[in-house]
Amino acid sequence: MDARLAPFPAHLQAPGTTDAPFEAVLDLARLPPGALCRVTRGDRDILVAHTPEGIVATDDRCPHMSAPLSIGELDGCVVACPLHEGRFDLSTGDPVQMPTTGGLDPDGVYHPTWTPGGRESKSDVPGKKAEARRLTRVRRLRYYPVRIVADRIEIALGPRPGDDLGGTP
Ligand code: FES
C-alpha cells in the first residue's frame, strides 16, 4: 500500500523524540486510509491515524480528559472524541470543537458548557464539579515522528516516564 506521512507542527513534537530510536509498531496494511488504531508500549498508548494528509501518531488520550481517541470517528483530518463531543484536528493539533463540558481552550479562553442539537440540556449544578469543568484546560495534541520501513510503521517514542536518562542523581 502506498502511504505518505502527514506533516505536523514542529512545536507540538513530543519531548525527547528528536533523536529517539524508531520502533516498529504496526503493519502498514492494518492502517488503510481513514483508519484509527491504538498501539501500546509499556504504559503508553499511541494513536496512529491515516488521514488524507498522511499517517500521523499522537497520544491516544483525548487532550480534554484522556479518553481513547482511537475509538472515536475520523472525518478528514478531524477526530471526534467518544466521550464529550470534542473534535481535534490531527493536522494542526488544535481543538475544532470544544467538549460539551466547556472549560478552557489551549490558550486559556473560557468556553461555556453546551448541549448537542436535538438533546435536552442538562443543568450545570454549581459546586466543585462545575468548577472543575470550568477550569479544565483542553491541550493541543502532541506528535511522535513516524516513518515507514518495509511496509511497517515505525514511531520514535522517546523516553518513557521513569527511564534512566543518564543524568546526575
Ligand atoms: S475526554 Fe474527549 S472530549 Fe472529553
Side-chain angles (χ1 to χ4, degrees):
M1 175 171 58
D2 275 346
R4 60 194 170 116
L5 306 176
F8 60 82
H11 67 289
L12 296 179
Q13 183 171 334
T17 58
T18 300
D19 298 316
F22 282 84
E23 300 178 30
V25 297
L26 192 65
D27 287 334
L28 184 56
R30 292 188 50 204
L31 196 75
L36 301 168
C37 186
R38 166 182 275 206
V39 296
T40 297
R41 290 292 180 278
D43 64 355
R44 196 178 313 183
D45 301 309
I46 304 293
L47 169 70
V48 194
H50 196 158
T51 76
E53 299 286 316
I55 292 172
V56 66
T58 184
D59 291 302
D60 192 18
R61 295 165 63 88
C62 177
H64 177 226
M65 291 185 181
S66 300
L69 294 174
S70 57
I71 60 169
E73 301 287 331
L74 184 63
D75 180 7
C77 288
V78 175
V79 63
C81 177
L83 207 49
H84 306 114
E85 318 268 349
R87 291 162 58 83
F88 305 91
D89 189 333
L90 292 170
S91 68
T92 65
D94 288 326
V96 294
Q97 176 171 281
M98 284 292 284
T100 51
T101 56
L104 304 176
D105 68 20
D107 297 316
V109 176
Y110 174 70
H111 297 256
T113 59
W114 60 280
T115 304
R119 287 194 223 160
E120 203 169 316
S121 59
K122 293 185 199 163
S123 58
D124 194 25
V125 182
K128 284 280 186 193
K129 285 188 178 176
E131 189 180 357
R133 284 191 288 274
R134 185 173 62 78
L135 293 175
T136 297
R137 186 195 293 253
V138 175
R139 302 277 180 187
R140 291 186 171 87
L141 296 166
R142 65 177 185 172
Y143 294 86
Y144 296 87
V146 180
R147 70 183 186 187
I148 298 169
V149 177
D151 288 335
R152 297 272 287 164
I153 297 170
E154 297 186 353
I155 300 178
L157 291 169
R160 279 105 165 134
D163 278 358
D164 179 4
L165 299 178
T168 307

